Amino acid sequence: MYGEILERDHELAQLGAAAREAADGAGSVVLVSGEAGIGKSSLVRAAAGVLPGQARLLVGECDDLVMRRPLGPFRDLVGGAGGVGGELGQALKEGGDRQRVYDALRAELTAAPHPVVLVVEDVHWADEASLDALRFLVRRVDRLPAVLVLTYRDDELGREHPLRHLLGQVSRLDRVHRLPLSRLSREAVRTLSAAGPADAAQVYEATSGNPFFVAAVLAAGGTGSVPPTVVDAVLARLRGLDTRARDALEQLAVVPSAVERSLVDALLTDGVAVLAPAEQRGLLTVTPERAGFRHELIRRAVADSLPAARRIALNRDVLDALIAQPGADPSRIVHHAAQAGDQEAIASYGPDAAREASRAGAHREAAAHLRLVLRSRQRYEPAALASLLEQYAVESYTIADSAAAVSAQREAVALRRSLGDTRALGADLRWLSRIHWWAGDADAAQEAAREAIAVLEQADDGRLLALALSNTSQLHMLAERTAEAVEFGERAIVLAREEGDAAILSHALNNVGAALWRSGDPRGRPQLEESLRVALAAGEVEHACRAYANIIWTLLENLQYADADRFLAPALELADRAEHLGFLSYLQVETALRRFAAADWDEAERYAELGVHDPVPGRCPALTVLGRVRIRRGTPGGDELLAQAWEMAEGTRELQRTGPVAAARAEAAWLRGDPAGVVSAVGTVHAQACQLDYTAYRAELGYWLGKAGHRVEPDGGDHPYALQAAGQWRAAADAWQEAGCPYEHAAALAESEDAEDKLAALAALDLLGADPLARRLRADLRALGVRRIPRGPVAATRENPAGLTERQLQVMRLLAEGLTNLEIAHRLVVSVRTVDNHVSAVLDKLGARTRRHATLRAAELGLLPGREK
């Protein structure tokens, strides 16, 4: 009786419906969440009964290994039920070509019969490569005849948990089904208890309705007593097992996954038959292919009950059996070596495990293996140790562990220096420079870069010298030192052409082009675009993405937003297709900057949130966007976000980082009436912008100093902020409108002395939900003696107007003015198709059949300025 699944009809119906929709080509993601023992796996098993008859059900599991198996849940699919094809198995075996693995996974989800339901259990334990593969599938599942079911423990996800990013991506899908599982009711526990002697009330009191614990208590409660904990309930079921069966159970308990038959046979001298008593008691599931515990909590309870010495000995047995097996997974060997305390085995197999993890894209796991290996660094000769440290530095750099990367690379440099290997020392110094820059330490990056060139000029290696020269050119470009960036970059370009190295050539052209363009030299853009062409022609995706990123950033700085849009779409498509997640995230942050400029603040926040866990170059602008949106909306937390961004920006000492944050902090100070705060935020950065003669930041920061009453020399340029600082608010407003910046246009218009201009600006600010500036403007209007000042949206409307997002509220108000979708698109600087979707959503949320009906309904709800109830 207690094997039944109760109170899950709704969830099973949702799974069945999702599968039927997928059969018609409308794929989706299903998130099954809850605490340990809540019944996630039971729901998956029961789902087979509600799927369409032709459906294929594929199930993979993530294991609680110290170092996760790269692509572990997908390896489980091969050779199991469901008829998974050989291409996936071969791709996983070879491991180094991620795109081949992804293509094979997609082929499995499109293979007949349809639909395919792919379940990945316990994704809170997923390795990095598996999460990357899931991100690949999530972005495409709506176009596949498939359902992707992810189960996870939501009570184990801290803010920094790697799964958070994937769940954020899932949340933006149109078709996602969330199935949080609740505990069983008292009635359900009473039903399950009816077949045995246990008191249902006591069972519910002890278990709080957790399905696994209920089942464990009932299975152990033959005498009617109720065990007080899960461990007690599980161990009660072990009583009466003979010594051979109990020993076998304990042996399997130290393996955190289902155990394949070959390993079962190697570990159990009495063969698989010895497991029969434990299987009959519901502790194990045994098939011809493998044996495993019915639930991870059972395995944990058995393993945790063992004395440490016994656990170590059992792990040693598993380690010996794995080493004896040809082709055993080195990550599993390292796990059991660590549990057995075998440093020799870790030193022998750890480097191989790290290499395999890195090839699969599981960089967190690779770093974890190397971290374990390096605890026994005395076992390695200096040259071998230097290589391991270099690998660890690169893996740490890849996963944005800056402190570990810097420390390891510094140690590698010291070893190479002692060995007198000039070429390797130069290469390591160049990497150290890059890692220091990524960590936000500009001075240390420059120091390492200078020494790298000095060393490599003695090494007779043109390629490495070109790379070091281009790295130095990049640092100068980022620091706005144009002459130095061009000097070093042009030397790198000559060497790269001589060496025939397209990657370094693209990198150097990028640096020189960006430096020239950012300084106002018209030769810069053609060189930067040449960098892009060279990279694309050579298939150098990373360098093509970098060229795209620098082109887009410069266009955004120059307010050339329409031009930036032409590059954003292909850039995002390339990074997405190539699964270059680092640059994909950075390009998404640039998209956030673009949407922020268009005052599309919901979308700006959505994209910026994708970059908040990135390394400094992406995280700093992401936090700046998030902080600035909150400042302009008047919602809490903006100042705190900008403080974080400023701390990062200061470390880089790069104007492209410090300038935007300083401007945002100045705006925040001015909006709260703190002129001293404006000067404090802007002063030193404005001086740097003037010294470097950088127009965009000089004009913006100078404008804010002027607003705070601080005398600034006239800029004399045609940047909109320079026009505003000179009192030419009308010309500035026109320039902002032409650029497509609604908030800045309204802010410039608000500087007019004419009440009609100010009222027009106020209407625009109310439409945007820009409360702080709107409040200041209302005060200005009252000071001018204007009597009829629109009240603006009430607080309840701003917080949740009939479920409308801020953008939908903007569309609703323009719709109420009688604008067509084309006119709304022009006003908001978005596509007509986007407006079509927003209008459809507005009509749906307001329950309106027509635009006129929607306007009436919005007026009733107080969503239209001046017409609140």
Side-chain angles (χ1 to χ4, degrees):
M1 172 67 77
Y2 37 77
E4 293 181 8
I5 180 167
L6 298 180
E7 298 186 333
R8 297 291 186 253
D9 291 346
H10 169 71
E11 289 82 0
L12 288 170
Q14 287 278 87
L15 282 168
R20 290 189 294 275
E21 291 170 0
D24 295 328
S28 62
V29 176
V30 177
L31 300 177
V32 181
S33 60
E35 64 187 351
I38 201 65
K40 299 181 292 294
S41 297
S42 298
L43 183 73
V44 168
R45 287 192 294 270
V50 299
L51 300 180
Q54 74 277 18
R56 294 170 64 211
L57 179 62
L58 308 176
V59 181
E61 298 177 1
C62 303
D63 303 320
D64 188 20
L65 290 163
V66 174
M67 271 72 70
R68 321 291 193 211
R69 290 182 300 151
L71 298 168
F74 304 108
R75 296 179 190 277
D76 287 348
L77 305 180
V78 180
V84 171
E87 173 58 22
L88 178 58
Q90 193 62 32
L92 289 167
K93 182 178 180 181
E94 295 179 6
D97 187 344
R98 287 201 297 170
Q99 193 59 49
R100 184 182 175 191
V101 172
Y102 297 165
D103 289 343
L105 278 170
R106 179 163 50 184
E108 285 297 335
L109 297 189
T110 56
H114 300 151
V116 179
V117 179
L118 171 59
V119 181
V120 179
E121 292 220 64
D122 295 323
V123 288
H124 52 280
W125 289 330
D127 64 284
E128 186 181 11
S130 295
L131 290 174
D132 285 348
L134 289 172
R135 279 190 278 269
F136 173 87
L137 294 177
V138 163
R139 287 197 294 274
R140 293 158 177 81
V141 71
D142 62 345
R143 304 186 296 277
L144 301 176
V147 180
L148 179 60
V149 181
L150 307 177
T151 78
Y152 61 96
R153 297 181 187 175
D154 53 358
D155 57 347
E156 294 193 9
L157 303 186
R159 288 183 60 187
E160 303 299 321
H161 196 287
L163 180 57
R164 287 283 186 196
H165 188 279
L166 176 64
L167 295 178
Q169 184 179 334
V170 171
S171 70
R172 292 185 290 277
L173 295 178
D174 290 332
R175 287 191 292 274
V176 54
H177 309 278
R178 301 179 184 278
L179 304 182
L181 301 185
S182 57
R183 294 184 174 189
L184 298 177
S185 66
R186 292 179 183 274
E187 184 60 35
V189 173
R190 189 176 300 112
T191 300
L192 291 171
S193 305
D199 180 90
Q202 289 183 3
V203 172
Y204 184 84
E205 188 68 26
T207 65
S208 298
N210 179 287
F212 171 79
F213 197 8
V214 170
V217 164
L218 293 176
T223 63
S225 61
V226 177
T229 69
V230 173
V231 173
D232 293 325
V234 170
L235 296 182
R237 295 165 73 178
L238 269 61
R239 297 191 190 106
L241 288 177
D242 62 39
T243 302
R244 291 166 56 248
R246 186 157 184 154
D247 286 348
L249 202 65
E250 291 175 352
Q251 178 67 80
L252 296 187
V254 300
V255 184
S257 60
V259 186
E260 65 274 23
R261 180 61 183 274
S262 60
L263 185 56
V264 171
D265 291 341
L267 291 172
L268 306 182
T269 55
D270 293 323
V272 71
V274 75
L275 300 174
E279 183 185 14
Q280 290 166 351
R281 296 192 180 201
L283 297 168
L284 291 174
T285 298
V286 180
T287 71
E289 293 81 23
R290 56 178 54 88
F293 287 87
R294 291 187 64 85
H295 199 285
E296 172 65 10
L297 289 175
I298 299 177
R299 186 195 71 79
R300 283 275 188 90
V302 175
D304 290 348
S305 71
L306 300 173
R310 171 77 169 148
R311 259 200 316 275
I312 291 170
L314 292 173
N315 272 289
R316 160 58 64 186
D317 292 340
V318 179
L319 174 62
D320 292 342
L322 287 171
I323 290 174
Q325 287 187 342
D329 185 340
S331 64
R332 294 180 73 190
I333 292 176
V334 172
H335 168 83
H336 290 286
Q339 297 300 305
D342 190 331
Q343 298 302 317
E344 188 65 40
I346 291 171
S348 297
Y349 292 93
D352 288 340
R355 277 190 290 274
E356 284 202 11
S358 183
R359 285 172 58 219
H363 299 289
R364 293 184 188 282
E365 286 65 39
H369 283 300
L370 289 167
R371 194 179 305 118
L372 196 61
V373 165
L374 288 169
R375 290 178 185 173
S376 301
R377 61 190 64 200
Q378 72 280 358
R379 296 175 181 270
Y380 300 96
E381 294 297 321
L385 177 58
S387 294
L388 288 170
L389 286 163
E390 290 160 0
Q391 294 169 40
Y392 181 48
V394 170
E395 296 300 338
S396 299
Y397 162 84
T398 304
I399 64 174
D401 186 349
S402 300
V406 167
S407 175
Q409 192 65 16
R410 280 181 178 276
E411 192 175 349
V413 164
L415 281 169
R416 293 299 184 192
R417 206 186 300 278
S418 69
L419 291 167
D421 187 338
T422 304
R423 183 180 177 281
L425 173 60
D428 274 0
L429 284 164
R430 200 276 308 174
W431 252 115
L432 180 61
S433 171
R434 177 66 178 173
I435 291 169
H436 272 309
W437 176 80
W438 204 251
D441 190 339
D443 290 340
Q446 287 282 5
E447 181 183 346
R450 281 192 294 269
E451 188 181 358
I453 292 175
V455 169
L456 288 169
E457 284 177 332
Q458 312 300 318
D460 192 28
D461 190 316
R463 181 184 172 280
L464 280 179
L465 178 57
L467 194 53
L469 289 165
S470 190
N471 171 71
T472 302
S473 173
Q474 179 184 15
L475 293 175
H476 286 306
M477 177 269 290
L478 292 165
E480 314 298 339
R481 292 189 287 267
T482 303
E484 294 90 337
V486 172
E487 176 192 348
F488 285 97
E490 287 182 343
R491 287 179 61 190
I493 289 170
V494 170
L495 282 173
R497 292 192 195 279
E498 289 176 357
E499 296 289 329
D501 194 306
I504 299 176
L505 177 60
S506 172
H507 191 270
L509 285 166
N510 190 322
N511 299 326
V512 173
L516 290 171
W517 190 5
R518 290 163 64 84
S519 71
D521 190 320
R523 296 173 298 164
R525 181 167 181 172
Q527 276 197 293
L528 194 43
E529 292 186 352
E530 183 186 355
S531 166
L532 176 60
R533 290 194 299 273
V534 167
L536 290 173
E540 292 284 351
V541 172
E542 179 175 357
H543 291 285
C545 287
R546 179 171 175 260
Y548 270 128
N550 279 347
I551 289 170
I552 293 162
W553 186 278
T554 309
L555 289 169
L556 293 174
E557 283 188 334
N558 292 339
L559 312 184
Q560 295 172 275
Y561 298 115
D563 212 359
D565 289 339
R566 292 195 305 107
F567 287 94
L568 267 170
L572 287 163
E573 194 276 333
L574 173 65
D576 184 39
R577 186 178 70 247
E579 292 295 306
H580 204 302
L581 299 179
F583 268 112
L584 177 61
S585 181
Y586 192 83
L587 289 164
Q588 287 167 333
V589 171
E590 291 188 321
T591 304
L593 291 166
R594 170 67 182 104
R595 301 322 310 158
F596 176 77
D600 188 357
W601 292 335
D602 287 334
E603 285 294 281
E605 286 188 309
R606 185 168 75 87
Y607 280 105
E609 284 166 355
L610 298 173
V612 294
H613 300 301
D614 284 0
V616 170
R619 186 161 77 251
C620 182
L623 290 171
T624 305
V625 169
L626 291 172
R628 210 160 192 181
V629 167
R630 293 191 185 191
I631 294 299
R632 290 188 174 181
R633 281 178 162 166
T635 52
D639 289 321
E640 291 79 4
L641 290 167
L642 293 179
Q644 293 177 45
W646 178 246
E647 183 178 355
M648 294 174 205
E650 271 195 308
T652 70
R653 294 172 52 196
E654 294 170 6
L655 188 58
Q656 66 170 329
R657 310 288 173 222
T658 58
V661 188
R665 296 177 78 204
E667 181 180 3
W670 183 78
L671 285 171
R672 64 174 178 263
D674 177 12
V678 173
V679 176
S680 173
V682 167
T684 57
V685 186
H686 178 254
Q688 182 187 13
C690 291
Q691 179 187 357
L692 296 171
D693 195 26
Y694 201 89
T695 302
Y697 298 129
R698 184 184 67 219
E700 183 173 7
L701 299 173
Y703 166 76
W704 286 115
L705 283 173
K707 293 283 280 186
H710 193 83
R711 187 177 181 280
V712 178
E713 288 295 322
D715 186 275
D718 60 356
H719 191 284
Y721 275 123
L723 295 174
Q724 281 179 259
Q728 301 176 45
W729 61 267
R730 176 71 70 187
D734 291 344
W736 286 123
Q737 187 170 43
E738 183 178 353
C741 302
Y743 180 89
E744 287 77 5
H745 170 256
L749 203 60
E751 296 183 350
S752 168
E753 294 300 321
D754 186 283
E756 291 302 316
D757 289 326
K758 288 184 180 292
L759 286 169
L762 182 60
L765 293 170
D766 283 342
L767 180 67
L768 295 172
D771 294 346
L773 185 53
R775 283 196 299 272
R776 288 192 66 117
L777 190 49
R778 283 187 169 85
D780 290 346
L781 286 164
R782 285 192 293 271
L784 286 174
V786 178
R787 294 184 178 181
R788 297 181 60 82
I789 302 172
R791 239 176 70 195
V794 297
T797 296
R798 288 194 302 269
E799 290 168 7
N800 189 13
L804 300 183
T805 66
E806 288 286 343
R807 187 54 120 187
Q808 289 165 357
L809 183 58
Q810 293 169 18
V811 169
M812 175 65 250
R813 290 174 179 166
L814 293 174
L815 184 153
E817 291 179 22
L819 274 65
T820 66
N821 286 12
L822 178 61
E823 290 167 333
I824 294 172
H826 178 72
R827 181 79 66 87
L828 297 179
V829 200
V830 296
S831 70
V832 177
R833 183 176 179 183
T834 297
V835 174
D836 291 342
N837 292 335
H838 283 316
V839 170
S840 177
V842 166
L843 294 177
D844 181 58
K845 288 183 177 181
L846 293 177
R849 299 181 303 279
T850 66
R851 298 162 79 94
R852 182 175 178 277
H853 185 199
T855 301
L856 293 172
R857 179 68 179 140
E860 291 173 3
L861 294 173
L863 306 185
L864 304 181
R867 296 193 234 177
E868 294 89 351
K869 284 286 191 182

